[in-house]
Amino acid sequence: MTKRTLVFVTVLLALLGIIFLTEMRKKNALESIQLNEIPSFPSFLFGEEQGAVSAFRISAETGEILELERGEFGLWIAIQPEGADVPQGTVEAAVSQLSSLPVLADDLPLSESEFGVRDQATQVSVSFADGEILMFQIGDPTPSGNGIYIRSADGTISIIEKDSFDTFLKILTYFGF
C-alpha cells in the first residue's frame, strides 16, 4: 500500500467511528428518557366531551350580569342586558378563549381565605350543547401573578391562566361593564 492509500483508509475509518459513536449516543439518550419525563399536554377547564358552548353568564362582583345565548342560525343574542347589540365576532372570540382556558393546577387543598373567593365574587356559568351547565367563581390572582384561583360548583379549587381568562373577560367592556 502506498502512503496515500493508508492516510485515506485511516481518515475513512475515523469518520465511520465518529458516525457510529454519535448514533449510539443518540440511541442511548432516547432509551434513557422515561415516560414520566415527557411533557404532557395541558389540561383545559372544559373538556372536548362537553361539546359546543351554547350560552354563558357572567355575574360580576358589582351586580352587573352579562348573559348571552346562541340563537337561531348560531347567532348570539343578549338575554341580559336585554336588547343589547351583540358583536358576533367578539363573542365567538371570547367563547373560543373560554373553551380553551388552561388549568395550571387542579384540586388544591386550600381554604376560602387562601384563594380569595367570596360570596359576591364574579361567577361564570357555561351551558353546553349537550345540556350540561358548569359554573365557577373567581378568586384572587396567584402570588406569581400568572394564574387566578377559581372554585368550581363542586368546591374544587383550581388555578387557571390569568392572561387567557382576562382575554375572555374583555367581553364585558363591549357591553359597557
Side-chain angles (χ1 to χ4, degrees):
M1 265 204 234
T2 64
K3 191 175 184 179
R4 233 187 226 171
T5 308
L6 187 59
V7 170
F8 176 75
V9 170
T10 305
V11 170
L12 182 64
L13 288 174
L15 288 174
L16 288 173
I18 291 171
I19 291 171
F20 177 75
L21 289 174
T22 305
E23 291 300 316
M24 288 302 291
R25 187 189 290 165
K26 285 181 188 177
K27 181 181 175 187
N28 289 340
L30 287 174
E31 288 174 356
S32 69
I33 293 176
Q34 299 298 320
L35 185 59
N36 61 0
E37 293 177 4
I38 297 173
S40 62
F41 294 104
S43 63
F44 297 102
L45 189 59
F46 305 118
E48 290 180 11
E49 64 275 1
Q50 273 90 22
V53 174
S54 61
F56 66 90
R57 176 185 172 113
I58 304 170
S59 302
E61 290 180 36
T62 58
E64 298 169 311
I65 296 174
L66 173 64
E67 187 173 1
L68 301 175
E69 184 177 277
R70 202 177 290 271
E72 284 188 63
F73 308 111
L75 297 177
W76 290 95
I77 55 173
I79 306 300
Q80 286 186 345
E82 193 173 331
D85 186 34
V86 180
Q88 297 296 317
T90 304
V91 174
E92 279 299 330
V95 168
S96 175
Q97 193 67 39
L98 178 66
S99 298
S100 62
L101 277 174
V103 175
L104 303 177
D106 199 17
D107 203 14
L108 301 172
L110 300 173
S111 67
E112 288 186 20
S113 63
E114 292 176 297
F115 62 88
V117 172
R118 293 165 282 290
D119 289 336
Q120 71 275 19
T122 298
Q123 295 183 0
V124 178
S125 173
V126 183
S127 301
F128 295 93
D130 66 359
E132 187 174 10
I133 299 173
L134 297 175
M135 299 184 316
F136 60 93
Q137 291 179 302
I138 309 304
D140 291 336
T142 59
S144 68
N146 293 334
I148 293 179
Y149 292 106
I150 63 167
R151 178 176 58 192
S152 300
D154 65 0
T156 304
I157 308 302
S158 303
I159 299 174
I160 57 173
E161 189 177 84
K162 183 181 184 323
D163 291 340
S164 296
F165 188 68
D166 287 346
T167 302
F168 165 69
L169 284 183
K170 284 184 182 179
I171 188 83
L172 294 172
T173 61
Y174 291 98
F175 290 91
F177 296 105

